[in-house]
Amino acid sequence: MEPWQVLAILYRGGEAAKQEPRLLGTVENELGLRPWLESQGHELIVSDSKEGPHSDLAKHIVDAEVVITTPFHPGYLTRDLIDKAKNLKICITAGVGSDHVDLNAAVERKIQVMEVTGSNVSSVAEHVVMSILLLVRNFVPAHEMIERGDWMVSQIARNAFDLEGKVVGTIGAGRIGYRVLERLMPFNTKEHVYHDYIALSKDAEQAVRARRVEDVKDLVSQCDVVTVNCPLHEGTRNLVNADLLKHFKKGAWLVNTARGAICDKDAVAAALKSGRLSGYAGDVWNVQPAPKDHVWRTMKNPLGGGNGMTPHYSGTTLDAQARYAAGTRTILENYLNGKPQDLANIIVGIGKYETKAYGQR
C-alpha cells in the first residue's frame, strides 16, 4: 500500500495537554498515533485550524486519504470540502457522533465514515445522572450563592426537590439511554419511560422498570425529568421544539447530552424563562465551540437558576479518551491491513448508510 496522508483535526489543549499526556484528543498529544503511523511510513498532519477556506482542514483535505476529527471540537466536513478531497477514502470520528460529516456526500463519493461506538457510553451516562441531580436539587444556584458570600437557604430550597418518586423518561434507550436508567435505579424513582423506534426486550424493560411510550408528546407529558439520548439526524433535528415543549409538565427538567441541534435553542431558552421548564442541562450545543453570546450560556428560570450547561466534555473524560484513541487506531489498522471493520463502528459503508435506529446506538 502506498503511504497515506492522515489529517487529524483535534482541539488545542494548551498547558493542560502538556502537563497531562492522557489528554489524547488534543493537538499536543495526537491520539498517540504519530510514532506508530510514522513507523509504517505514513504522514500525520495534526491541527486545530478548521474554519474557512484558508484553514489547515481546507488546505490538507485535498490530499488526505484519512481524516480524523472529534465530536467535541469538530472539523465540519461539508460537501464542498468533500468534493475537494480527491484522495479521501475514510473519515474517522475519534469518539461517538458523526453529524459533522455530510453523510450524503460521503455515500455518493463512496467514502467510509467510522466512529468508535461505545467508547463514551459510561462517561456520558454518568454525566446525565449528575446533570439530573444538579437540576433537581438546584445545586448550581446554591453553589453560586456560596461563592458570592451569601447565605439564604430559602432562596435555594424553594426550587429544590428529591429525585426519589419522580418519573424519568429518555428519548432514546440505546447504549447510553439504557445505562442512564440502570444508574437511576438506586434513587427509587417512581417510574421510567422511554421513547424509541426499537422496543427493548421484556427482560431489559423489567431490569430497569421501563415502559415504552410510542408517542414522544405522550412521553414528555408524563415525565418530571426528560433526558435526550438519541443520535442527531433529519428525524431528530429540532425534535424538542416549541410545540413539543407545550406538552411537557410545567416545571419539568430537561437534560440533553446527545446533540445540541436536537433541541431548538430559542424554544428551550423561552421555556426556561417562562417556567415551563425548571431547568435545562447539557454539554452539547448547536454550534461548537458555542459563541460567547449563545443564549444557553446565561438563560435562567424565573427563580434565578435552572442552567446546567457545560462545554462538551461528558464523553471525553481521560478514561473515554483512552478508549476512543485505542478504537481509532484499531480502525486505522483494519483499514491499513484490509481487514473488515467492526460493524458497530460503521456509519457509512462503501456507498451506503448503515442505518441505525435509537436503540442500536
Side-chain angles (χ1 to χ4, degrees), residues 15-207:
E15 285 301 315
K18 295 175 184 177
Q19 296 165 4
E20 178 48 84
R22 291 176 295 177
L23 282 167
L24 290 168
T26 60
V27 168
E28 292 81 359
N29 295 320
E30 303 177 319
L31 293 167
L33 292 174
R34 185 173 294 280
W36 169 67
L37 279 173
E38 292 186 345
S39 75
Q40 303 291 315
H42 304 300
E43 179 185 10
L44 176 64
I45 299 171
V46 179
S47 178
D48 65 341
S49 169
K50 61 190 183 70
E51 303 291 345
H54 303 295
S55 66
D56 285 343
L57 173 58
K59 175 183 175 182
H60 293 293
I61 200 170
V62 173
D63 297 314
E65 182 165 341
V66 180
V67 173
I68 303 168
T69 186
T70 75
F72 314 105
H73 200 301
Y76 290 93
L77 301 183
T78 62
R79 178 176 289 275
D80 285 346
L81 284 178
I82 289 173
D83 285 345
K84 295 174 184 175
K86 61 181 185 293
N87 297 326
L88 186 60
K89 299 294 191 300
I90 184 169
C91 300
I92 303 172
T93 299
V96 177
S98 297
D99 49 276
H100 55 280
V101 181
D102 188 317
L103 299 180
N104 290 321
V107 169
E108 292 167 18
R109 281 281 311 280
K110 294 181 168 46
I111 295 167
Q112 295 181 72
V113 180
M114 308 288 298
E115 61 184 43
V116 189
T117 298
S119 59
N120 67 352
V121 291
S122 296
S123 311
V124 177
E126 288 183 7
H127 192 100
V128 172
V129 174
M130 176 188 74
S131 298
I132 291 171
L133 288 168
L134 286 173
L135 292 181
V136 172
R137 299 307 298 257
N138 207 24
F139 175 85
V140 173
H143 181 69
E144 290 173 345
M145 176 179 285
I146 293 304
E147 287 189 321
R148 291 194 306 268
D150 295 337
W151 191 286
M152 182 60 70
V153 173
S154 60
Q155 288 184 10
I156 304 302
R158 64 180 176 172
N159 205 30
F161 297 85
D162 296 336
L163 183 55
E164 184 177 60
K166 302 298 186 292
V167 177
V168 181
T170 176
I171 300 174
R175 292 181 176 90
I176 293 173
Y178 191 80
R179 281 170 172 79
V180 170
L181 300 183
E182 286 182 320
R183 285 155 176 74
L184 290 174
M185 290 294 286
F187 289 94
N188 197 26
T189 44
K190 182 178 180 179
E191 187 179 21
H192 297 154
V193 292
Y194 73 98
H195 171 73
D196 204 308
Y197 296 135
I198 297 177
L200 298 169
S201 70
K202 291 300 179 186
D203 287 345
E205 287 184 343
Q206 291 173 5

Side-chain angles (χ1 to χ4, degrees), residues 10 31 54 105 120 141 203 219 245 267 289 305 319 323 328 338 343:
L10 306 176
L31 293 167
H54 303 295
N120 67 352
D203 287 345
L219 177 119
L245 286 162
D319 301 296
R323 291 190 291 267
T328 299
L343 289 176

